[in-house]
Amino acid sequence: MTDDGPKPSYERVLLKISGEALMGDQGFGLHPPTVSRIAQEVKSVHDLGVEICMVIGGGNIFRGLQGSAQGMERTTADYMGMLATVMNALAMQSALEGLGIHTRVISAIRMDEVAEPYIRRRAVRHLEKKRVCIFAAGTGNPYFTTDTAATLRASEMSCEAIFKGTKVDGVYDKDPNKYADAKRYEHVTYDEVLAKHLGVMDASAIALARDNKLPIIVFSLDEPGGFRGILSGQGTYTKVED
């Protein structure tokens, strides 16, 4: 660890954020100041000595499900969504390396000129060397979301938790932006998430996390210092586990 203070509660984590998180107040695309702000949040945790993987969605550029709903063939639409995640990963890599953090973009679809191919043992070695690994292109397969890809990669990398950065500070029984009486859960089980359709992640991702006993921590990415705070035992969040 490079910083003084309490020992972080996890030594290796995966941060999952949506593509929409990178677009700031814009309705589309990348907002460089927002990308830089999130990179600063990642750096603050990296400075604690925590090994970090990332998975970033592609919904700010293209969402496969929406494309297929408009008449595009689903497989093609999903591959386009995967390519969008690579663009976001490269943007985040640029921001992190601008802060002096060594970063690798690792793609499930081969594109050797811009990213490394996914090889599990090599990715683990990058983490051991304190490089941030950004996993792009989902699982490389259509019909699987980036939530499922994040849970799969976190399991393969032996991460101790998935941190899901959202616009709210946890899991609620209904949308807190619409309902003043929305109740936030401190803890919720995987089965409750599935039974109550709480929308933390899709069902496949929740089931995979449950089977691998991988806790999911849902927190607000808009709260400055929130990511680091939770790892230091502070802050507001919901923990999904058995």
Side-chain angles (χ1 to χ4, degrees):
M1 283 191 339
T2 57
D3 283 10
D4 295 329
K7 187 178 187 298
S9 46
Y10 300 105
E11 295 181 0
R12 180 180 293 174
V13 301
L14 185 141
L15 174 64
K16 166 63 172 68
I17 61 177
S18 67
E20 286 88 348
L22 303 185
M23 66 188 186
D25 294 329
Q26 303 173 159
F28 182 82
L30 288 157
H31 184 237
T34 299
V35 177
S36 295
R37 179 182 63 79
I38 294 172
Q40 288 280 3
E41 294 282 322
V42 173
K43 180 182 185 299
S44 71
V45 171
H46 185 271
D47 288 346
L48 292 174
V50 177
E51 297 171 3
I52 305 169
C53 322
M54 295 183 71
V55 170
I56 308 171
N60 56 319
I61 299 170
F62 189 86
R63 186 177 290 280
L65 275 173
Q66 290 177 353
S68 64
Q70 294 171 15
M72 186 177 291
E73 196 266 324
R74 171 67 189 271
T75 302
T76 299
D78 278 358
Y79 278 121
M80 291 173 68
M82 290 180 220
L83 296 178
T85 72
V86 177
M87 295 172 69
N88 285 338
L90 292 172
M92 183 58 65
Q93 179 184 42
S94 177
L96 285 168
E97 294 198 333
L99 297 173
I101 305 297
H102 294 295
T103 309
R104 295 291 186 272
V105 173
I106 301 172
S107 173
I109 298 173
R110 289 193 74 103
M111 45 185 81
D112 296 343
E113 286 74 17
V114 297
E116 287 187 11
Y118 177 69
I119 300 171
R120 188 188 67 84
R121 291 174 65 90
R122 183 188 290 175
V124 169
R125 188 68 181 130
H126 286 321
L127 291 174
E128 291 170 348
K129 291 181 177 179
K130 305 303 181 186
R131 297 165 182 159
V132 173
C133 289
I134 308 176
F135 296 111
T139 65
N141 302 289
Y143 296 95
F144 288 91
T145 67
T146 49
D147 281 344
T148 302
T151 311
L152 175 64
R153 296 294 184 239
S155 300
E156 290 177 302
M157 295 297 106
S158 301
C159 290
E160 297 166 292
I162 296 173
F163 278 71
K164 173 95 184 264
T166 69
K167 292 189 173 296
V168 292
D169 59 355
V171 179
Y172 286 78
D173 59 350
K174 49 191 169 185
D175 189 343
N177 295 317
K178 294 181 181 175
Y179 302 96
D181 62 341
K183 176 187 134 191
R184 186 178 64 81
Y185 296 96
E186 291 280 340
H187 290 87
V188 63
T189 68
Y190 305 110
D191 289 339
E192 284 178 302
V193 169
L194 294 171
K196 296 178 181 178
H197 304 286
L198 294 178
V200 177
M201 288 180 163
D202 66 76
S204 297
I206 294 294
L208 185 59
R210 179 188 61 197
D211 292 348
N212 289 284
K213 295 181 169 44
L214 187 62
I216 302 166
I217 294 167
V218 183
F219 72 106
S220 173
L221 201 61
D222 293 337
E223 182 69 31
F227 186 22
R228 179 185 172 114
I230 294 167
L231 279 154
S232 301
Q234 304 163 343
T236 304
Y237 58 91
T238 298
K239 190 172 187 179
V240 183
E241 59 185 349
D242 275 332

